[in-house]
Amino acid sequence: MEEDEFFGEKTFQRFCAEFIKHSRQIGDGWEWRTSKDCSEGYMCKTYFQIKPGTVVSHLGTSAHVQTCLPTEEALELPLDDFEVTETTTGSEVIKYEYHVLYSCSYQVPVLYFRASFLDGRPLALKDIWEGIHECYKTQMLQEPWDTITQQEHPILGQPFFVLHPCKTNEFMTPVLKNSQKINRSINYITSWLSVVGPVVGLNLPLSYARTASQDE
Amino acid sequence: MAEEPESALQLPPSTAADGEGPTEVSPETATPEPPSSAAVSPGTEEPAGDTKKKIDVLLKAVGDTPIMKTKKWAVERTRTIQGLIDFIKKFLKLVASEQLFIYVNQSFAPSPDQEVGTLYECFGSDGKLVLHYCKSQAWG
């Protein structure tokens, strides 16, 4: 491993601190958590999302089916003389958790994530899969076990899904080398998370981009 | 590095068919001319009465990624990052297993659904948006 990519735990924590500083400025919800017994820590973010239910209108003619949030403004009632009865089914709140930990073996950050319903039922990988952006699905479907695996969270000891870090160096190296070439330091965590986050439904607001790099 | 004197070429629509072209692209050399079926000549992409101004995008390669011979493109505001990635991948003739990332500020990858117009408003300068692209294999 080249010196350039060396990324120790201290460096990891420093970048996380800078990342969280910006997160606080924009209310993006990231926090730092430490484990009780040692100096290890990780970044985490929890957010809740309403998985929309399906509104089905029962008509005499062709059914008008749409998926939308069950709010007044979102409903589009078809205008006709038929009696319309509507039922809303299956709208649920899902809790997403994203954790950024440091991997000693790979010496890179790793993204752990899980999703569950409010009653604690976890989402299965196939449900999470539906949330993955189309553009990643074809590539990842080829060998999903190399990309998303289920592992025990190193600090919490609970099962999480993990985006495998084996290729992290490969896509981060050109970005790092480029930053050195132009004499700009980058926040490794911001750059890395901007790449891997969208794969699992985590999109970073654009304002992070301004903090991602600065002139040295 | 001198900029190419050519005027900005129009990005073809997403449904442009793949054209013919040499198959070998090595990192050190510039890519060949775009396929003729891609309809990249200026003006052909403007629908009648369209007042939407296109964004001038300058694409720069990072690392060992092949350099596009045509770097300046006029892109619709609503074109997404993913659309741009698909276009560059086709242009560079990358295989499906290779991934391409686009960065603003040479360090931050916008989400796939982010629109070029928004990126221009946030990061554009001198009338254009500079985007860096990088080929890699991120997983699998």
Side-chain angles (χ1 to χ4, degrees):
Chain A
M1 189 163 311
E2 288 177 63
E3 205 100 335
D4 295 346
E5 292 87 59
F6 179 70
F7 184 77
E9 177 111 35
K10 285 265 180 299
T11 310
F12 166 77
Q13 293 186 3
R14 178 166 61 86
F15 285 135
C16 286
E18 287 170 20
F19 181 91
I20 287 173
K21 186 173 155 196
H22 184 73
S23 167
R24 290 204 174 117
Q25 286 169 355
I26 64 171
D28 195 34
W30 285 90
E31 293 175 350
W32 181 258
R33 300 235 182 104
T34 43
S35 62
K36 296 185 189 108
D37 53 351
C38 56
S39 62
E40 277 174 15
Y42 60 95
M43 252 184 16
C44 73
K45 174 176 170 167
T46 302
Y47 81 96
F48 298 88
Q49 192 179 67
I50 299 176
K51 197 170 164 190
T54 305
V55 176
V56 181
S57 52
H58 304 278
L59 293 174
T61 54
S62 57
H64 180 59
V65 179
Q66 59 179 321
T67 304
C68 59
L69 291 174
T71 59
E72 296 255 303
E73 308 92 69
L75 291 179
E76 276 176 2
L77 300 181
L79 302 168
D80 56 34
D81 295 332
F82 288 92
E83 187 143 306
V84 177
T85 52
E86 293 184 338
T87 52
T88 304
T89 59
S91 120
E92 308 227 38
V93 177
I94 299 187
K95 174 180 165 190
Y96 291 89
E97 292 170 79
Y98 297 100
H99 292 206
V100 173
L101 279 83
Y102 177 72
S103 161
C104 296
S105 42
Y106 287 93
Q107 295 189 321
V108 291
V110 187
L111 184 59
Y112 287 72
F113 61 99
R114 68 178 174 185
S116 57
F117 297 99
L118 287 184
D119 62 6
R121 277 177 300 136
L123 256 70
L125 183 56
K126 76 162 177 62
D127 297 317
I128 296 201
W129 192 254
E130 277 164 31
I132 289 183
H133 200 282
E134 279 306 316
C135 61
Y136 299 110
K137 277 187 187 169
T138 9
Q139 279 145 350
M140 296 179 82
L141 269 173
Q142 284 165 14
E143 277 173 82
W145 47 89
D146 282 346
T147 54
I148 296 183
T149 58
Q150 190 164 37
Q151 285 178 31
E152 193 179 276
H153 190 288
I155 295 176
L156 298 178
Q158 294 162 23
F160 272 71
F161 293 108
V162 182
L163 201 51
H164 207 278
C166 58
K167 301 283 185 194
T168 297
N169 267 330
E170 206 170 306
F171 72 82
M172 284 303 296
T173 298
V175 179
L176 289 169
K177 285 209 155 96
N178 185 68
S179 73
Q180 283 165 4
K181 200 172 80 174
I182 59 172
N183 276 325
R184 278 164 78 176
S185 62
I186 65 164
N187 184 320
Y188 188 111
I189 291 292
T190 308
S191 297
W192 163 80
L193 198 52
S194 74
V195 173
V196 300
V199 179
V200 293
L202 176 68
N203 294 305
L204 293 184
L206 278 181
S207 67
Y208 280 105
R210 290 197 195 86
T211 66
S213 80
Q214 52 203 49
D215 294 322
E216 285 185 327
Chain B
M1 184 164 30
E3 295 291 0
E4 290 168 306
E6 69 210 75
S7 57
L9 296 187
Q10 310 286 320
L11 206 75
S14 315
T15 51
D18 287 321
E20 312 257 318
T23 50
E24 282 299 319
V25 180
S26 68
E28 275 73 48
T29 62
T31 56
E33 290 294 341
S36 54
S37 62
V40 293
S41 47
T44 55
E45 299 307 317
E46 299 282 353
D50 185 26
T51 52
K52 223 173 20 172
K53 208 178 125 204
K54 292 199 181 186
I55 307 289
D56 280 342
V57 174
L58 184 61
L59 295 173
K60 293 191 169 181
V62 170
D64 294 335
T65 313
I67 300 168
M68 292 171 81
K69 185 171 173 172
T70 308
K71 299 184 181 59
K72 281 172 73 175
W73 297 90
V75 183
E76 307 89 346
R77 283 180 178 273
T78 53
R79 177 79 62 132
T80 61
I81 281 290
Q82 190 52 46
L84 203 51
I85 287 174
D86 291 339
F87 169 73
I88 299 173
K89 282 178 78 169
K90 268 194 199 152
F91 194 92
L92 296 178
K93 300 191 191 312
L94 298 188
V95 299
S97 60
E98 288 173 298
Q99 288 212 269
L100 192 97
F101 300 104
I102 288 184
Y103 295 93
V104 291
N105 264 2
Q106 301 187 62
S107 58
F108 184 89
S111 318
D113 295 332
Q114 202 67 250
E115 291 184 357
V116 170
T118 312
L119 291 174
Y120 174 73
E121 275 152 39
C122 297
F123 304 104
S125 65
D126 298 330
K128 65 182 185 298
L129 174 68
V130 177
L131 294 175
H132 285 74
Y133 63 93
C134 188
K135 177 186 83 160
S136 178
Q137 206 164 3
W139 31 73

